[in-house]
Each structure stands twice: as C-alpha cells, then as structure tokens.
Amino acid sequence: MKALMVYISVHHGNTEKVARAMAKILDADLVQVKQVDAIMLEQYDLIGFGSGIYFGKHHESLLDFVDKLPVVKNKKAFIFSTSGLRKIPFVHDFDKPLRKKLQRKGFDIMGEFSCRGLDTYRATKLVGGVNKGRPNAEDLKQAEDFARDLKNSGDSYLNQILLSN
Ligand SMILES: Cc1cc2nc3c(=O)[nH]c(=O)nc-3n(C[C@H](O)[C@H](O)[C@H](O)COP(=O)(O)O)c2cc1C
C-alpha cells in the first residue's frame, strides 16, 4: 500500500512531529501542502491530511487544497491533527469541515487521529502556553499505533481486491 501524507504545521511544528511518527510506520512520503500537486495523489492508495487546528478547523491552506482536488475513486484517506483543546463531538468536532470536504471528493475515510499540541495563542502565552511538551512520547506512540492499524487494515483491503480479481 503506497501512502502519502500532506500536512502543514505552522504554530510550533507540533503536527509535523506526529506526521513524522506516522510516516515512519506507513513508509509514507511526507509533503507540505504548499509543495504538493493534485496530480501526485494519483500514485498513492492511502493519503493522510493533517495540520494544527485553527479557529475550530484544519489550516485553511489544507482545506483549500482539498477543495481544488478532482473527485477520486477507490482512494483511502485519513485525517490527523494537533490542537489546544480535545475533540468533543458536536461541540468541538474540528475534523468535521475537512472530513466533509474529503467525503464530497469521494475519499473513503479510514480513521482520524488527534492529540494535544503546545498552544501559545493569545492569553495562554502569558503562562508559557498550554499542553507544554506535547506532543510527548506517549502521544507519538499513539500516533504510531494508529498508523500501524491503518497499515494492517489497508493491506488486508488490498489483498481482498487482489484475491477477488
Ligand atoms: C491562531 C490560532 C488559532 C487556534 N485555534 C484553535 C482552536 O480553535 N481549537 C484548538 O483546539 N486549538 C487551537 N489552536 C491551537 C493549535 O491547534 C495547536 O497549538 C496546534 O498544536 C498547532 O499545531 P502546529 O504547531 O502543527 O501548527 C490555535 C492556535 C493558533 C495559533
């Protein structure tokens, strides 16, 4: 299973740490959103999309990139992020805008991963930020476990296709 991860990590490089941990397990190519061309995606079976969370959603440049993609067929995707606050369904479901856009483009979403990241935005700066030291070793281990699960389910999916052909 060939994997690509498209990300942007502008605040403290938090999401980049998570992206690198996952890419190692998935043996994925890792590219920043400003360096990626939609045509590149054609070569991959699985594509990860990730960034920090800004005003309740993924980074605008990642959302814009997805908007410009053509509709795809038989492409798997996953979503990842780091954020100041934890995801709370219906209240702070910051994956929703990206999830909806990917689904509208025909991606089959295999999973979503999120962990806390150092946040020094606004008043939090006065106390040196919140979530100090995060993503930490435990967060990165969980990111690796998530990637391992993706790899296993992706491989069995490809095997099923090969067997049925
Ligand atoms: C301008 C700004 C807006 C943010 N908005 C949110 C938000 O709405 N919800 C949240 O949980 N975290 C928010 N954060 C915290 C970031 O999501 C968090 O620090 C993240 O780990 C940054 O990732 P990065 O270093 O990869 O860019 C915000 C941070 C900044 C600088």
Side-chain angles (χ1 to χ4, degrees):
M1 187 180 59
K2 223 175 153 208
L4 173 72
M5 293 174 65
V6 181
Y7 76 99
I8 174 158
S9 183
V10 289
H11 189 33
H12 288 291
N14 298 332
T15 314
E16 180 161 334
K17 290 180 190 155
V18 168
R20 290 194 181 282
M22 288 180 174
K24 206 172 51 188
I25 302 294
L26 289 167
D27 200 15
D29 292 331
L30 197 54
V31 282
Q32 296 194 30
V33 70
K34 58 181 182 232
Q35 296 169 331
V36 71
D37 197 300
I39 200 111
M40 265 177 81
L41 272 57
E42 286 176 14
Q43 311 161 37
Y44 296 89
D45 312 299
L46 173 69
I47 300 147
F49 296 86
S51 75
I53 297 302
Y54 296 91
F55 310 107
K57 51 192 179 174
H58 281 77
H59 194 276
E60 210 54 52
S61 62
L62 188 65
L63 296 169
D64 286 349
F65 173 68
V66 175
D67 276 338
K68 290 184 191 124
L69 290 177
V71 170
V72 296
K73 247 184 154 184
N74 297 328
K75 284 247 184 267
K76 306 216 150 278
F78 65 96
I79 291 173
F80 61 99
S81 64
T82 61
S83 61
L85 303 171
R86 82 176 43 249
K87 182 158 90 169
I88 307 170
F90 306 110
V91 181
H92 193 234
D93 180 6
F94 41 68
D95 286 334
K96 191 174 172 184
L98 179 57
R99 183 193 310 129
K100 291 219 145 209
K101 282 178 191 294
L102 289 170
Q103 284 171 336
R104 255 184 255 128
K105 293 291 176 172
F107 285 94
D108 181 8
I109 312 243
M110 294 185 78
E112 296 171 2
F113 177 87
S114 172
C115 71
R116 305 296 67 74
L118 171 64
D119 181 9
T120 54
Y121 184 51
R122 287 198 174 148
T124 62
K125 207 188 296 185
L126 302 173
V127 290
V130 291
N131 307 323
K132 287 178 201 163
R134 296 187 73 180
N136 56 23
E138 180 55 31
D139 294 319
L140 298 181
K141 187 192 164 299
Q142 284 180 12
E144 287 174 0
D145 289 346
F146 172 85
R148 223 166 263 121
D149 286 349
L150 278 180
K151 193 174 158 70
N152 293 339
S153 53
D155 285 345
S156 67
Y157 172 79
L158 280 187
N159 284 341
Q160 274 170 31
I161 293 182
L162 289 173
L163 284 172
S164 65
N165 280 339

